[in-house]
């Protein structure tokens, strides 16, 4: 199997948010978001069993996809993608809440969802979400692609990302 072929799949860069213990806003960086249907609108994300975000989505049955732009602070990706919300506060102030979900400041759009189905794989849960709200908050930035993150920002992906490939 030539795993380099997986690198030819295209993605964006997102922060999937939800609520943790004690009503703490939290979430993780994810590239694995896709629109599944348009009417009714539905999206899906794939979240590792070991990620705190996974249990938060299971507990609340809600998640938001916060879409990052090329000019979003790359520090957001680090905060949400390389630490666990289990023992870290990922939001440094009270976030804006939309449709019961915390929104990441500096994202360019968000899509809020209610879980309708889950699919368990060996390592990840695929959450299917019925879209309950969506808004473009910064129309002037271009959505960041996963390729841009790797090639321009020179970012990496940790083991829990579904797209992780050991070098
Ligand atoms: C660019 C990038 C993409 C990622 N994509 C995913 C993903 O799609 N699914 C996933 O479960 N983890 C993904 N991760 C890893 C999680 O963000 C990371 O394990 C995070 O620390 C989990 O935080 P949590 O324990 O607070 O949920 C990605 C990380 C990066 C940097």
């Amino acid at each position: 199997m030539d795993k380099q072929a997986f690198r030819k799949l295209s993605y964006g860069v997102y922060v999937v948010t939800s609520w943790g213990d004690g009503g703490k806003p939290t979430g993780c960086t994810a590239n694995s978001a896709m629109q599944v249907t348009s009417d009714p609108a539905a999206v899906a994300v794939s979240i590792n069993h070991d990620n705190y975000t996974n249990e938060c989505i299971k507990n609340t049955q809600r998640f938001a996809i916060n879409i990052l732009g090329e000019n979003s602070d790359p520090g957001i990706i680090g905060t949400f993608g390389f630490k666990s919300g289990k023992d870290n506060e990922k939001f440094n102030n009270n976030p804006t809440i939309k449709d019961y979900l915390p929104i990441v400041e500096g994202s360019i759009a968000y899509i809020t969802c209610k879980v309708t189905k889950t699919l368990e794989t060996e390592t990840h849960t695929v959450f299917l979400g019925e879209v309950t709200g969506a808004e473009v908050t910064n129309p002037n930035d271009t959505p960041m692609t996963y390729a841009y993150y790797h090639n321009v920002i020179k970012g990496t992906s940790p083991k829990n990302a579904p797209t992780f490939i050991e070098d």
Side-chain angles (χ1 to χ4, degrees), residues 68-82:
L68 300 183
E70 290 182 354
N71 294 310
S72 295
D73 177 359
I76 297 172
I77 301 170
T79 302
F80 285 89
F82 290 92

Side-chain angles (χ1 to χ4, degrees), residues 117-135:
K117 278 195 173 63
T118 56
L119 168 72
E120 294 298 344
T121 73
E122 222 164 279
T123 55
H124 288 67
T125 307
V126 179
F127 293 97
L128 184 67
E130 168 199 333
V131 175
T132 53
E135 186 184 355

Side-chain angles (χ1 to χ4, degrees), residues 26-32 46-48 51-53 77 80-85 90 124 146 149 156-158 160-162:
T26 192
C28 74
T29 304
N31 61 277
S32 62
S46 171
I47 305 293
N48 194 285
N51 286 354
Y52 183 58
T53 306
I77 301 170
F80 285 89
F82 290 92
K83 291 183 205 172
S84 181
K90 295 198 179 182
H124 288 67
Y146 197 51
Y149 171 67
T156 58
S157 300
N160 284 1

Side-chain angles (χ1 to χ4, degrees), residues 101-144:
L101 285 154
I103 300 304
V104 174
E105 198 182 325
S107 57
I108 65 167
Y110 66 81
I111 298 169
T112 52
C113 307
K114 244 188 200 163
V115 175
T116 52
K117 278 195 173 63
T118 56
L119 168 72
E120 294 298 344
T121 73
E122 222 164 279
T123 55
H124 288 67
T125 307
V126 179
F127 293 97
L128 184 67
E130 168 199 333
V131 175
T132 53
E135 186 184 355
V136 175
T137 47
N138 180 355
N140 301 319
D141 200 359
T142 306
M144 185 190 293

Side-chain angles (χ1 to χ4, degrees), residues 2-64:
D2 179 3
K3 290 196 170 170
Q4 291 309 315
F6 297 148
R7 295 225 158 119
K8 305 297 178 199
L9 286 166
S10 302
Y11 305 95
V13 182
Y14 315 104
V15 178
V16 175
T17 54
S18 193
W19 296 102
D21 301 321
K24 130 168 123 173
T26 192
C28 74
T29 304
N31 61 277
S32 62
M34 66 181 287
Q35 183 171 358
V36 178
T37 56
S38 78
D39 190 13
V43 293
V45 292
S46 171
I47 305 293
N48 194 285
H49 293 156
D50 295 337
N51 286 354
Y52 183 58
T53 306
N54 187 308
E55 66 178 77
C56 298
I57 299 174
K58 281 184 181 151
N59 287 341
T60 60
Q61 294 291 299
R62 284 183 184 270
F63 66 90

